[in-house]
Amino acid sequence: TSSGCPSGTQRVQSPEPIQGYYNATCSEGQAYGMLLAVYLDDQALFNDLYEYKQNKSASKTPSHLMPWLIDSNGNIIDQNSASDADLDIAFALLMADKQWGSGGTLNYYNLALTEIDDIRNYDIATDNHLKPGDNWDNWTYPSYFMPAYFKVFREVDASHASKWDSVYSTCNTHIDTGRNDSNGLIGEILNTNGTARSDDPCSSSCDGRKYKYNSCRVPWRYAMEYVWNGVDPVNEVSLLANFFNNIGPSNVKDGYWVSSGAEIGR
């Protein structure tokens, strides 16, 4: 939509309220829009989506990563970034360079490097775990771990290759440490050292006991690593595939207790 946007920009509008804000934009949605636009070869849309991101990031310092939540009038509600959106935006820019080259209005490749530099400096903790965003570190989200992306960033950010190797390794270790090893299920959040959590710090959106709408992206992220690189680094894809194959596609529910594998609500 162009509603609530600066001239020459577009945004992805949430179909559901976010923290009580209707028709809002969150950075993950904007990032998904950029990924879809580049793969659908819609350069004009991609550029408009990116320019919206840039407009909302411009006033931030020291990072210029996209604020997480913006209301329908363009007001920034939450200045903090979300690392999964930051990673998707950086990767979308690299794919834009592959799709259209970087000789036009936007130098996608250089913009991607700038984004990757901010991610490395502000989304990665000193012990190489992936923070939830650029300005907070209360826990870590396993569904933000993107091993296939980290390998791509390692290639283009070659002077920091060892850093990306460490991030890749730390994320995999956290998956291995925090999950239920019998079925691969993992909570929506982990402690920053990768251990499982048994609390519910922010109600439905981040529960360490439950495999739900945040953690259900883990198989997507790890399946990308398997499909692209032929690697299942901590056997996560195999464990989850076995769990869900035993349930059957038509019987998959909204969420499961990590400890038992039982459907939530039962």
Side-chain angles (χ1 to χ4, degrees):
T1 179
S2 58
S3 173
C5 296
S7 177
T9 74
Q10 294 191 71
R11 66 185 180 93
V12 175
Q13 178 176 289
S14 173
E16 296 180 350
I18 306 174
Q19 295 188 353
Y21 292 92
Y22 287 81
N23 302 318
T25 290
C26 70
S27 57
E28 286 97 337
Q30 198 75 3
Y32 294 152
M34 289 174 62
L35 287 169
L36 288 168
V38 71
Y39 281 113
L40 293 172
D41 195 20
D42 191 336
Q43 187 174 13
L45 174 60
F46 182 93
N47 288 355
D48 283 357
L49 293 171
Y50 176 74
E51 293 290 4
Y52 181 87
K53 177 266 175 197
Q54 282 294 81
N55 179 274
K56 298 307 175 184
S57 302
S59 62
K60 285 186 62 175
T61 184
S63 96
H64 292 291
L65 299 167
M66 184 175 177
W68 176 64
L69 182 60
I70 301 160
D71 73 13
S72 60
N73 295 315
N75 300 306
I76 295 173
I77 304 303
D78 191 330
Q79 190 77 234
N80 299 322
S81 81
S83 296
D84 59 334
D86 303 334
L87 293 163
D88 278 333
I89 287 169
F91 183 76
L93 286 163
L94 289 174
M95 292 303 98
D97 172 66
K98 296 292 186 184
Q99 181 79 284
W100 305 302
S102 290
T105 304
L106 297 175
N107 187 318
Y108 302 118
Y109 188 79
N110 285 345
L111 292 170
L113 293 182
T114 298
E115 199 80 8
I116 289 167
D117 190 60
D118 268 355
I119 291 167
R120 178 168 31 76
N121 286 322
Y122 302 109
D123 283 345
I124 308 298
T126 54
D127 66 355
N128 298 312
H129 78 262
L130 184 66
K131 296 161 55 180
D134 58 358
N135 286 313
W136 63 300
D137 196 18
N138 298 21
W139 49 74
T140 189
Y141 287 100
S143 68
Y144 288 15
F145 302 169
M146 306 184 193
Y149 283 12
F150 299 146
K151 287 184 174 178
V152 174
F153 296 166
R154 183 189 192 278
E155 290 182 16
V156 299
D157 188 26
S159 64
H160 298 97
S162 62
K163 182 70 172 179
W164 292 112
D165 288 343
S166 296
V167 175
Y168 179 93
S169 176
T170 300
C171 286
N172 292 337
T173 298
H174 283 191
I175 292 286
D176 196 26
T177 301
R179 72 185 175 196
N180 181 336
D181 284 335
S182 68
N183 54 29
L185 295 177
I186 192 163
E188 295 191 296
I189 57 172
L190 302 173
N191 290 311
T192 57
N193 65 0
T195 54
R197 294 182 66 140
S198 59
D199 58 341
D200 184 2
C202 53
S203 189
S204 61
S205 63
C206 48
D207 194 318
R209 304 163 298 171
K210 299 174 182 177
Y211 177 93
K212 285 197 73 183
Y213 292 123
N214 273 311
S215 47
C216 74
R217 294 180 296 179
V218 170
W220 166 31
R221 304 302 192 184
Y222 274 79
M224 287 171 65
E225 171 70 336
Y226 181 77
V227 171
W228 291 2
N229 299 311
V231 178
D232 188 2
V234 284
N235 204 38
E236 181 66 0
V237 176
S238 296
L239 286 170
L240 288 171
N242 185 64
F243 177 78
F244 286 106
N245 281 336
N246 287 333
I247 293 172
S250 63
N251 297 315
V252 172
K253 305 300 182 183
D254 285 350
Y256 299 88
W257 294 104
V258 171
S259 60
S260 64
E263 177 189 339
I264 292 171
R266 292 188 175 182

